[in-house]
Amino acid sequence: MKEGRRDGTLVVVSRDLQRAVRADGIAPTLQAALDDWAQCAPRLNALAEALAASSARGAFDLDMAALAAPLPRAYEFVDGSAYLPHVERVRRARGAEVPASFYTDPLMYQATSAGFYGPRDPILAGSEEWGIDLEAEVVVVTDDVPMGVTPAQAAAHIQLVGLVNDVSLRNLIPAELAKGFGFLQSKPRSALSPVFATPDELGDAWRGEKLHLPMRTWINGRWFGEAECGVDMQFSFAELVAHAAKTRPLVAGTLVGSGTVANQDTSKGASCLAEQRTVETLRDGKPSTPFLKFGDSVRIDVTDAGGRSIFGAIEQRVERAPAPRLTRIKARPPAGASLRP
């Protein structure tokens, strides 16, 4: 909940996403809970059961607009590119082949984690010329992961699953990558789904450390895609976590992203505009779908077999970033102190 503190207040949410109860008696924030997950998880589970039984004291109707990101800021966010159909098409569109190593060694980069948009916060950008794009992805959150874990060991460290809109500024990417030092300006803040769920909540939809449900996206209220998250994912989340932890431990609260969900079957639509534009380029010789403009809206959601939203939808509007304002912070001396030379 957006409640004054910079990192908000932790709440437990009902399965139908209609009711919630503050959990700050257990941990003030989700990061605090993850820091002591072995002790906090059973208590949070008990609170969830009480909420389901309508016996949780202080329960209230949930307002998605009142929610910050589950992790408003995190120690680390590493984002993979596990859906190789997307990589294959993009490289084919520019006449390049996919290196053989891409099929055995995950692509991954260090993403922005100092701040995440809430699920209803606007996407802020300074210019439409930057090529504003959504990227609908699955993300997992770990507890403390030791350095050098195997994928089998890494699976036990995945504690939460959710969604991320990994916003990209496509027209800034080529110049940055040409420097040979990775993304920076082309990767602004991303948005997280309203709710994260423990893997057991997903039932049969979570198997092999992959989410087996469609990623549904809309732009300006129009259907854009529903690529299957469990299809064509070259590397499982266990493999992605192990890859990230090969040479360093991961701290509790680390987010690991799947990369843009994409299938070989293009009739499923796309999960980012760059993917759709690549399909158009391969088919027509040039792209026809524009990048996002100010005033455009995006919606990203995953529903179960019964049509129930699991994590809540990310719903954002693209807005022009306000001009920065100069703020001077005046230091105040301690009580009784003198500022005389």
Side-chain angles (χ1 to χ4, degrees), residues 86-105:
H86 173 68
V87 178
E88 292 166 350
R89 278 192 286 268
V90 169
R91 293 181 72 88
R92 190 164 72 247
R94 66 171 189 258
E97 293 185 0
V98 178
S101 63
F102 282 25
Y103 295 92
T104 57
D105 192 32

Side-chain angles (χ1 to χ4, degrees), residues 106 142-158 236-251 254 256:
T142 73
D143 58 14
D144 288 303
V145 182
M147 183 177 75
V149 292
T150 65
Q153 293 168 330
H157 292 283
I158 297 172
S236 71
F237 277 107
E239 292 171 305
L240 294 177
V241 170
H243 179 81
K246 180 177 180 178
T247 61
R248 60 186 178 184
L250 305 179
V251 298
T254 294
V256 180

Side-chain angles (χ1 to χ4, degrees), residues 187-208:
K187 285 292 186 177
R189 288 188 171 184
S190 299
L192 299 177
S193 55
V195 172
F196 283 171
T198 51
D200 60 287
E201 279 291 312
L202 303 174
D204 290 341
W206 182 258
R207 57 185 188 274

Side-chain angles (χ1 to χ4, degrees), residues 1-316:
M1 299 286 295
K2 296 178 177 179
E3 290 187 335
R5 290 191 293 265
R6 187 168 187 170
D7 295 309
T9 300
L10 179 63
V11 295
V12 168
V13 177
S14 61
R15 287 185 177 92
D16 62 5
L17 308 183
Q18 298 300 306
R19 300 278 287 169
V21 61
R22 287 172 179 81
D24 50 342
I26 300 171
T29 64
L30 181 56
Q31 181 61 56
L34 288 160
D35 286 339
D36 192 19
W37 193 246
Q39 298 299 319
C40 290
R43 298 176 64 193
L44 292 170
N45 187 61
L47 184 59
E49 291 177 351
L51 182 62
S54 300
S55 60
R57 297 180 61 182
F60 56 91
D61 292 338
L62 184 64
D63 176 12
M64 293 291 184
L67 294 180
L71 286 166
R73 51 181 173 163
Y75 289 114
E76 193 160 14
F77 175 28
V78 290
D79 199 17
S81 187
Y83 293 91
L84 291 190
H86 173 68
V87 178
E88 292 166 350
R89 278 192 286 268
V90 169
R91 293 181 72 88
R92 190 164 72 247
R94 66 171 189 258
E97 293 185 0
V98 178
S101 63
F102 282 25
Y103 295 92
T104 57
D105 192 32
L107 293 168
M108 187 171 285
Y109 75 97
Q110 192 86 36
T112 301
S113 65
F116 288 96
Y117 290 130
R120 299 294 185 271
D121 292 343
I123 299 169
L124 299 177
S127 171
E128 293 177 345
E129 299 304 313
W130 290 349
I132 309 162
D133 198 357
L134 76 157
E135 287 194 57
E137 304 183 16
V138 184
V139 67
V140 300
V141 184
T142 73
D143 58 14
D144 288 303
V145 182
M147 183 177 75
V149 292
T150 65
Q153 293 168 330
H157 292 283
I158 297 172
Q159 302 299 350
L160 296 167
V161 184
L163 308 180
V164 59
N165 179 15
D166 179 39
V167 180
S168 291
L169 304 175
R170 299 294 182 184
N171 293 340
L172 302 185
I173 289 177
E176 285 204 314
L177 294 186
K179 296 178 181 179
F181 220 53
F183 302 114
L184 182 67
Q185 294 175 343
S186 54
K187 285 292 186 177
R189 288 188 171 184
S190 299
L192 299 177
S193 55
V195 172
F196 283 171
T198 51
D200 60 287
E201 279 291 312
L202 303 174
D204 290 341
W206 182 258
R207 57 185 188 274
E209 284 67 59
K210 299 178 183 180
L211 179 64
H212 294 266
L213 290 169
M215 178 71 72
R216 305 184 188 278
T217 56
W218 297 262
I219 297 177
N220 295 327
R222 299 182 62 181
W223 178 90
F224 184 68
E226 51 183 35
E228 293 288 342
C229 298
V231 176
D232 300 318
M233 188 178 184
Q234 184 75 13
F235 304 100
S236 71
F237 277 107
E239 292 171 305
L240 294 177
V241 170
H243 179 81
K246 180 177 180 178
T247 61
R248 60 186 178 184
L250 305 179
V251 298
T254 294
L255 295 101
V256 180
S258 66
T260 306
V261 180
N263 296 156
Q264 293 287 0
D265 181 4
T266 58
S267 70
K268 297 285 187 179
S271 300
C272 71
L273 289 162
E275 168 80 6
Q276 179 63 26
R277 288 166 60 88
T278 298
V279 170
E280 293 165 351
T281 298
L282 292 171
R283 183 189 65 211
D284 308 322
K286 61 179 181 178
S288 55
T289 299
F291 289 119
L292 296 171
K293 305 294 184 183
F294 296 134
D296 286 347
S297 64
V298 301
R299 176 183 171 91
I300 300 168
D301 200 5
V302 166
T303 57
D304 62 16
R308 176 182 66 94
S309 179
I310 298 173
F311 311 104
I314 297 173
E315 297 181 13
Q316 296 183 275

